[in-house]
Amino acid sequence: MPERLFVLDAYAARSCPLKTVNAFNPTLGTPPRPESAPPPFFHDADGIEAEICSRLLASTPDAVDLRVLSDDPVAEQEAATLAALRARRPLVIGALLPRDWASHRSGRPSALLLAPDGSGYWPVQIKFHKVMETRPVEDATLRYSRLGDPRTVHERPGRSFRWGQRVKAALQLAHYWRLLEASGQAAAQPWGGLVGLEQLPEADGPHGQPEPVITWLDLGLPVVAPNPATVPEPEAAPRISTLERYDEEHAFRVRLATSSLAATGPKALLTPIVNRECAYCVWQPYCVSQLDADDLSLRISKAPLDVYEVAVLRELGVTSVGDLAKADIDAIKDAYLPRVSHRLGGEQRLRLAQHRARLIVEGVELERQTSGPIGLPRHALEIDLDIETSADDRVYLWGFFVDDHDTGRRYYQHFSAFTDLDRAAERALAAEAMTWLRNLVAGRDAAVYHYSDYEVVRLTRLANAGRGHGSDPRTASGKALAWGRDFAAEAFVDLFTVVKRNFFGANGLGLKVVVTAMTSFAWRDEDPSGLNSQSWFHEAVHAGDDGVREAARRRLLDYNEDDVRATWHLRAWLRTLT
């Protein structure tokens, strides 16, 4: 047994290595988690996982559910897991695999499934994202199992696992596989299964209805790109297996943890690079404090260079936005581009980042790309529109700001439902909003303004959802939605398209970025964002205190009103340009 006893969970090898460095540094205390965690990507994730586990248990006689032991001592849970595996129970839910102290691993997969040949177990993990992609029939065949018969493997041509986007999920399975090997319970074939959000129609399933499936991955198949940091030219490097990639990633983090435990300090081990994980990481404030205020990864937040691209630039002496702004791309590209060939369009990405860096250094938020007046005709009745959606992707709020030039009246109007909506209720709310809008614009010279095509896409989807889903498009609601879809095609104006056609943004062209930079308008909320609004909606619906629910509803309405007022201010500013 090693001198330093520690284990890494299944997320270590797939996550930012600085998480491991910081977590094991004895000079750092674990930071508290934020009081308000980010909203879930999918509504009731626990419920989804429970439903899938229930279906697996119901279909597998002699299965065992160890979730009832989740509060028991770790050693007892590990012993129960090992006993179930040695007894060759066909399915084990909620297993806690015995820790592998020698190789520094611990893990709790969603399920362990006995392979059809009885040789041992395959790990299965439930994920709340899609895991499949469509491919040409001749290029790919998906191996999968139905939840109603999980130990029977089927094949479907024209589908494949998303190796390009979901390698991290595959690395998690590899971690569990190595744990099974260490306990002597791995199957003969190194497979792992993922249950994603997709549902496949099954001709031999109950009534042929679509249902979730287990997507099987061969963890020994050489289909994974190596870590770009470990090869001189990623594009030319031969593919390796998931297990090989995992072993490299895990071994690296074991070395980091060992060095960090020795108190060599995180700064001596790695310099932080801001990336997508940071937004949900408890270590983010600490890592940011280690960076220069003009650090390249910190300052360029729109279409940012990835961690490997930033690391290569740092090796070439380009560490800040100032360095990048004045860099001679032609002089460094021969050394740079081969090292970042894992990304398509590496040179274009670098030049785009340099463009942003120059604007940031110059203090320019928006750069005009055209000249002359912005073509934005005036109308007697102008309406700004913004919608809000919940974490489970239901539109619960339609907000309008009405500017009636004939009467001089301006006001905010909303249609909202602070409750968990199903498809029918979502359509009914949208129909109510469209009925009001239809009456408002009848016989008027009117236009509706929005920012991005999101409102049009959702309105079209809701209008078309009645076809074949038990909703009659001939009803009043169906007619209102169909009218809204058709009216959008002729009278809705996407202000984002107008801005994008005329400007380049140092920090992108988001509504808040553009309006805050170019007008005097300001949102009332101190932290306005669509992502935050999903947390507010959860409070508005589910908080146990009446006062908290009411405050959250008021906050959402104020936020939505500010969004539609913002597009009004944006339009007014665009019309001043000559």
Side-chain angles (χ1 to χ4, degrees):
M1 195 171 287
E3 293 182 7
R4 297 282 189 174
L5 293 179
F6 67 88
V7 289
L8 302 175
D9 66 17
Y11 281 87
R14 54 167 290 173
S15 300
C16 172
L18 263 172
K19 291 181 179 179
T20 298
V21 172
N22 294 341
F24 284 90
N25 189 322
T27 66
L28 297 177
T30 303
R33 292 194 174 275
E35 291 185 6
S36 57
F41 290 107
F42 296 96
H43 186 66
D44 194 16
D46 290 341
I48 294 173
E49 182 165 3
E51 170 64 20
I52 291 171
C53 289
S54 295
R55 295 177 69 171
L56 286 170
L57 288 166
S59 68
T60 312
D62 204 29
V64 60
D65 187 355
L66 298 180
R67 290 176 295 179
V68 295
L69 305 180
S70 60
D71 293 329
D72 289 0
V74 168
E76 293 181 16
Q77 294 186 58
E78 291 177 340
T81 295
L82 198 54
L85 301 185
R86 287 173 174 168
R88 285 297 187 261
R89 302 291 284 270
L91 171 70
V92 184
I93 299 290
L96 182 61
L97 288 165
R99 285 161 291 183
D100 180 2
W101 292 105
S103 298
H104 308 284
R105 296 187 182 95
S106 67
R108 187 193 296 273
S110 300
L112 295 171
L113 193 67
L114 185 64
D117 63 4
S119 60
Y121 288 85
W122 291 333
V124 176
Q125 190 66 25
I126 299 168
K127 307 302 291 185
F128 305 105
H129 54 60
K130 293 183 177 180
V131 300
M132 302 178 195
E133 64 183 3
T134 301
R135 299 282 300 279
V137 172
E138 64 273 13
D139 291 347
T141 299
L142 182 79
R143 292 191 182 100
Y144 70 97
S145 295
R146 294 192 295 112
L147 299 186
D149 185 14
R151 297 180 63 206
T152 299
V153 179
H154 305 273
E155 293 187 348
R156 182 180 292 270
R159 290 287 186 99
S160 172
F161 175 67
R162 295 187 175 197
W163 287 106
Q165 297 82 24
R166 301 302 186 196
V167 169
K168 289 184 176 182
L171 295 179
Q172 191 173 346
L173 289 176
H175 179 92
Y176 298 135
W177 176 263
R178 290 300 190 211
L179 273 170
L180 283 166
E181 280 188 319
S183 63
Q185 301 300 322
Q189 292 177 292
W191 282 21
L194 294 170
V195 181
L197 293 178
E198 296 92 343
Q199 297 190 0
L200 293 183
E202 284 303 315
D204 57 339
H207 312 295
Q209 293 299 311
E211 61 178 40
V213 298
I214 302 172
T215 295
W216 293 111
L217 313 183
D218 185 342
L219 304 177
L221 200 64
V223 293
V224 177
N227 185 321
T230 64
V231 291
E233 192 170 349
E235 185 182 29
R239 298 281 167 162
I240 60 178
S241 71
T242 304
L243 288 169
E244 289 173 311
R245 173 70 182 267
Y246 163 77
D247 288 341
E248 292 178 1
E249 299 286 359
H250 178 72
F252 177 48
R253 284 154 181 81
V254 168
R255 293 194 298 272
L256 290 174
T258 302
S259 297
S260 195
L261 281 168
T264 52
K267 193 169 184 180
L269 296 173
L270 292 171
T271 301
I273 297 176
V274 177
N275 62 84
R276 293 176 63 185
E277 285 187 55
C278 295
Y280 308 109
C281 180
V282 296
W283 297 105
Q284 190 240 21
Y286 175 76
C287 289
V288 169
S289 74
Q290 308 303 303
L291 294 173
D292 184 86
D294 285 326
D295 178 80
L296 184 60
S297 69
L298 184 62
R299 294 297 304 276
I300 297 182
S301 58
K302 184 64 177 179
L305 300 173
D306 69 27
V307 293
Y308 307 108
E309 292 169 312
V310 172
V312 174
L313 284 175
R314 285 179 177 174
E315 291 179 17
L316 297 173
V318 179
T319 63
S320 68
V321 286
D323 293 336
L324 182 56
K326 64 185 180 184
D328 185 343
I329 301 298
D330 291 328
I332 67 172
K333 68 180 184 180
D334 288 345
Y336 174 79
L337 292 177
R339 297 282 306 280
V340 300
S341 56
H342 65 290
R343 297 299 299 257
L344 293 175
E347 182 174 354
Q348 181 182 6
R349 285 173 54 80
L350 180 59
R351 293 189 184 278
L352 186 65
Q354 184 181 60
H355 191 176
R356 289 201 159 91
R358 287 173 174 169
L359 292 180
I360 290 170
V361 169
E362 296 168 4
V364 176
E365 187 65 61
L366 283 186
E367 181 182 61
R368 181 78 185 269
Q369 304 283 289
T370 59
S371 60
I374 303 292
L376 205 57
R378 295 178 183 272
H379 299 270
L381 181 62
E382 296 188 326
I383 305 157
D384 296 278
L385 166 64
D386 183 67
I387 63 174
E388 308 295 343
T389 55
S390 59
D392 58 348
D393 201 33
R394 298 290 187 191
V395 182
Y396 66 88
L397 174 56
W398 294 78
F400 303 88
F401 184 67
V402 179
D403 186 2
D404 191 332
H405 296 290
D406 289 342
T407 65
R409 188 182 176 207
R410 295 175 185 163
Y411 60 94
Y412 172 66
Q413 175 71 45
H414 70 89
F415 297 86
S416 58
F418 292 108
T419 186
D420 290 323
L421 301 176
D422 58 16
R423 176 184 292 172
E426 182 187 26
R427 292 187 80 242
L429 181 66
E432 182 184 357
M434 289 304 105
T435 299
W436 170 85
L437 181 63
R438 180 175 57 191
N439 293 334
L440 180 68
V441 303
R444 301 288 303 277
D445 170 33
V448 176
Y449 300 88
H450 52 98
Y451 203 79
S452 87
D453 64 354
Y454 190 57
E455 282 72 18
V456 174
V457 168
R458 295 308 297 256
L459 179 56
T460 301
R461 185 186 304 172
L462 288 166
N464 294 342
R467 303 172 182 176
H469 289 85
S471 298
D472 190 344
R474 295 170 296 179
T475 63
S477 292
K479 290 179 179 178
L481 289 172
W483 173 88
R485 177 195 61 212
D486 297 341
F487 182 66
E490 65 181 55
F492 277 33
V493 180
D494 183 359
L495 291 177
F496 172 72
T497 301
V498 175
V499 171
K500 186 177 181 181
R501 187 167 55 239
N502 291 279
F503 296 93
F504 180 86
N507 294 295
L509 297 173
L511 177 63
K512 294 171 183 64
V513 171
V514 175
V515 170
T516 302
M518 309 313 295
T519 78
S520 60
F521 182 80
W523 275 256
R524 284 169 283 180
D525 199 280
E526 60 183 15
D527 193 14
S529 76
L531 191 60
N532 285 342
S533 74
Q534 293 186 356
S535 289
W536 307 337
F537 177 75
H538 186 79
E539 284 188 348
V541 176
H542 298 288
D545 183 87
D546 290 345
V548 173
R549 290 198 302 274
E550 181 56 34
R553 292 168 185 170
R554 185 69 263 163
R555 190 176 189 182
L556 282 165
L557 292 174
D558 288 348
Y559 167 68
N560 180 260
E561 180 179 354
D562 284 350
D563 272 355
V564 289
R565 286 181 178 273
T567 55
W568 183 94
H569 281 270
L570 172 61
R571 186 167 66 258
W573 171 70
L574 289 171
R575 284 172 174 160
T576 66
L577 301 179
T578 59

